[in-house]
């Protein structure tokens, strides 16, 4: 039998699966979707006509917007009170504003600030005595400012927060000191204030100067001669010298006020005992309104020297000192900005180098000006 191997015909004799020839790969693309492809349509490059827009400008102070917001809140509260029923549930009285308008009523010898209800008058009363809070007739600006302060409140509950009524609280403090001096109210507020503010003399912010040179200084940043700016110590001396000169020549003549920090030490140096005695006697002789203003200024700026300079500059009881000094200074006044700059010089210098912390440094900057403004209103007058 002859075996003949002919050409393989798959239609006649199929080969096993394991030895079947491989199917050639298809060059067609397999798509997994049925939608038709759409190519992007390029658009022509847009060119602006005219000059470029101006650079962004930082927002200004928000005093106006804040006051407008308070006025809108008060208006909404007034509308709600008109629509609300007269009967109230227990516990809701503090959430309402029981006064509608606020005005200042002049009385013989005093001007009394009075929130006025729709039906009857309710004057502001001192918490310690429950009597009407009197404002001297020589301080009409203070009375009007207290009236505006109460007019911005939207509920009676806000009147219990002293940070919302700074002028009312400091006026009440002065009123209590006046009654204690006359023996009509128990307490020793004057002695307590004198002891408290004298503690700030040995650590006065105005007298704490940076060392001339330190081994821990960042030469590239803090030694700022290459930047063309003054060093922190030079700026502190420049701000402190005029204030110290004014105090030692006009208010406390003959005493010596020296810096409380020497080079290379963190322990404050105490002032001479003669200096302490003179300053203590001067503080003890201040009037009730000046003493309350001095206390507020010392707590706000952590500086007894700056507080004394501010009180003497604006008090109605130091007009002779102020007039004599204005002749030499060509009418330059020591106001809110000057006091805030003297108390926060190091903070401003550091934030100018490293930047501000939002909702911290900016809030402190405005708060210290608010506190000094209340001091000026309390001590100033037309007398």
């Amino acid at each position: 039998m002859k075996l003949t191997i002919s050409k393989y015909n798959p239609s006649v004799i199929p080969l096993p699966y394991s030895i079947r020839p491989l199917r050639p790969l298809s060059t067609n693309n397999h798509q997994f979707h049925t939608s038709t492809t759409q190519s992007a349509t390029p658009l022509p490059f847009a060119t602006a006509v005219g000059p470029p827009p101006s650079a962004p400008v930082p927002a200004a102070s928000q005093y106006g917007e804040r006051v407008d917001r308070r006025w809108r809140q008060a208006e909404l509260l007034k509308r709600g009170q008109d629509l609300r029923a007269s009967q109230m549930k227990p516990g809701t009285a503090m959430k309402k504003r029981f006064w509608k308008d606020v005005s200042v009523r002049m009385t013989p010898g005093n001007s009394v600030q009075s929130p006025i209800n729709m039906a009857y008058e309710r004057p502001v009363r001192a918490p310690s005595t429950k009597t009407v809070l009197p404002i001297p007739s020589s301080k009409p600006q203070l009375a009007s400012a207290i009236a505006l302060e109460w007019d911005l409140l939207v509920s009676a509950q806000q009147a219990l927060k002293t940070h919302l009524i700074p002028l009312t609280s400091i006026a009440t403090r002065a009123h209590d000191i006046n009654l204690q001096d006359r023996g009509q109210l128990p307490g020793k507020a004057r002695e307590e204030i004198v002891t408290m503010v004298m503690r700030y003399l040995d650590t006065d912010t105005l007298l704490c100067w940076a060392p001339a040179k330190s081994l821990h200084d960042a030469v590239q940043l803090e030694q700022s001669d290459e930047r063309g700016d003054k060093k922190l110590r030079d700026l502190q001396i420049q701000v402190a010298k005029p204030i110290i000169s004014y105090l030692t020549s006009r208010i406390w003549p003959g005493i010596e006020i020296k810096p409380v920090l020497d080079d290379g030490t963190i322990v404050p140096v105490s002032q001479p005992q003669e200096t302490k005695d003179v300053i203590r006697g001067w503080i003890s002789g201040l009037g009730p309104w000046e003493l309350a203003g001095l206390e507020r200024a010392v707590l706000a700026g952590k500086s007894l020297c700056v507080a004394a300079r501010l009180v003497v500059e604006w008090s109605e009881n130091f007009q002779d000192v102020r007039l004599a000094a204005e002749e030499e200074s060509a009418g330059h006044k020591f106001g809110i900005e000057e006091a805030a700059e003297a108390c926060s010089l190091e903070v401003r210098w550091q934030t100018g180098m490293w930047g501000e912390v939002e909702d911290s440094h900016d809030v402190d900057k405005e708060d210290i000006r608010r506190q000094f403004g209340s001091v000026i209103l309390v001590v100033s007058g037309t007398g």
Side-chain angles (χ1 to χ4, degrees):
M1 182 176 179
K2 187 179 180 181
L3 180 60
T4 305
I5 299 176
S6 61
K7 188 178 181 181
Y8 167 70
N9 188 357
S11 63
V12 179
I13 306 176
L15 292 175
Y17 176 79
S18 59
I19 61 175
R20 288 181 181 178
L22 297 177
R23 178 179 297 179
L25 297 176
S26 176
T27 58
N28 297 330
N29 295 329
H30 295 275
Q31 300 180 0
F32 295 93
H33 55 82
T34 59
S35 61
T36 59
T37 58
Q38 296 180 357
S39 59
T41 303
L43 297 177
F45 179 74
T47 58
V49 180
S54 57
V57 180
S61 180
Q62 303 298 324
Y63 289 122
E65 296 181 2
R66 193 177 306 169
V67 173
D68 293 341
R69 184 175 67 253
R70 292 290 182 90
W71 277 107
R72 291 193 298 268
Q73 292 176 354
E75 185 65 25
L76 293 176
L77 180 63
K78 186 183 299 183
R79 295 178 183 178
Q81 289 176 346
D82 296 338
L83 297 176
R84 191 177 302 173
S86 59
Q87 296 181 353
M88 296 184 303
K89 297 180 180 180
T92 60
M94 295 300 296
K95 297 181 181 180
K96 297 184 63 178
R97 172 172 164 162
F98 60 83
W99 64 93
K100 188 173 182 180
D101 299 317
V102 182
S103 63
V104 177
R105 184 182 61 188
M106 299 297 298
T107 59
N110 291 313
S111 61
V112 182
Q113 180 265 341
S114 304
I116 298 179
N117 198 330
M118 292 181 292
Y120 55 92
E121 296 183 1
R122 288 190 177 184
V124 173
R125 298 180 180 274
S128 57
T129 59
K130 307 301 181 183
T131 58
V132 177
L133 177 63
I135 306 297
S137 58
S138 62
K139 301 180 183 296
Q141 297 89 350
L142 177 61
S144 300
I146 293 178
L148 177 60
E149 187 175 74
W150 279 80
D151 200 17
L152 295 177
L153 300 179
V154 298
S155 65
Q157 190 174 8
Q158 291 185 347
L160 302 178
K161 302 178 180 179
T162 56
H163 66 278
L164 295 178
I165 50 173
L167 294 174
T168 305
S169 62
I170 193 174
T172 303
R173 180 68 162 170
H175 178 62
D176 293 343
I177 296 173
N178 187 24
L179 294 180
Q180 291 180 9
D181 292 343
R182 297 180 179 180
Q184 301 176 3
L185 185 68
K188 299 180 179 179
R190 178 176 291 274
E191 290 77 6
E192 294 173 356
I193 294 175
V194 172
T195 303
M196 185 271 298
V197 298
M198 286 299 297
R199 295 197 189 104
Y200 284 87
L201 182 61
D202 290 336
T203 58
D204 198 295
T205 302
L206 187 71
L207 305 178
C208 292
W209 299 346
K213 188 176 182 180
S214 176
L215 297 176
H216 305 286
D217 287 343
V219 181
Q220 292 81 1
L221 294 176
E222 297 189 14
Q223 302 298 332
S224 54
D225 292 339
E226 297 179 358
R227 299 185 303 162
D229 302 333
K230 292 184 178 180
K231 297 180 181 180
L232 176 59
R233 180 182 178 87
D234 298 335
L235 293 175
Q236 290 173 331
I237 296 176
Q238 180 181 351
V239 173
K241 284 296 184 181
I243 299 176
I244 296 175
S245 177
Y246 186 94
L247 296 176
T248 55
S249 61
R250 299 291 180 181
I251 305 178
W252 310 315
I255 68 172
E256 178 188 3
I257 299 178
K258 57 184 180 180
V260 298
L261 290 180
D262 289 337
D263 290 344
T265 180
I266 60 174
V267 180
V269 178
S270 180
Q271 298 292 336
Q273 187 62 38
E274 181 182 359
T275 300
K276 292 183 178 181
D277 295 340
V278 171
I279 296 177
R280 182 185 296 272
W282 179 82
I283 297 175
S284 301
L286 291 176
W289 296 94
E290 284 74 20
L291 187 61
L294 182 72
E295 179 189 24
R296 173 69 62 85
V298 170
L299 293 176
K302 307 298 184 294
S303 173
L304 176 58
C305 296
V306 175
R309 178 71 175 88
L310 186 68
V311 169
V312 172
E313 182 68 29
W314 294 93
S315 174
E316 58 182 342
N317 295 329
F318 291 94
Q319 289 187 2
D320 51 346
V321 178
R322 185 167 57 252
L323 292 176
E326 287 180 356
E327 295 178 358
E328 298 180 1
S329 60
H332 178 70
K333 298 186 71 66
F334 188 83
I336 297 176
E337 292 297 329
E338 289 78 8
E341 178 184 359
C343 293
S344 59
L345 177 59
E346 183 176 358
V347 175
R348 291 191 303 103
W349 193 83
Q350 295 285 355
T351 54
M353 177 184 299
W354 306 104
E356 289 187 352
V357 177
E358 189 176 0
D359 294 334
S360 177
H361 292 112
D362 52 350
V363 175
D364 294 340
K365 181 173 61 176
E366 300 299 334
D367 182 70
I368 192 173
R369 285 162 173 77
R370 182 176 69 102
Q371 301 291 349
F372 285 151
S374 65
V375 172
I376 291 178
L377 284 174
V378 165
V379 302
S380 62
T382 59

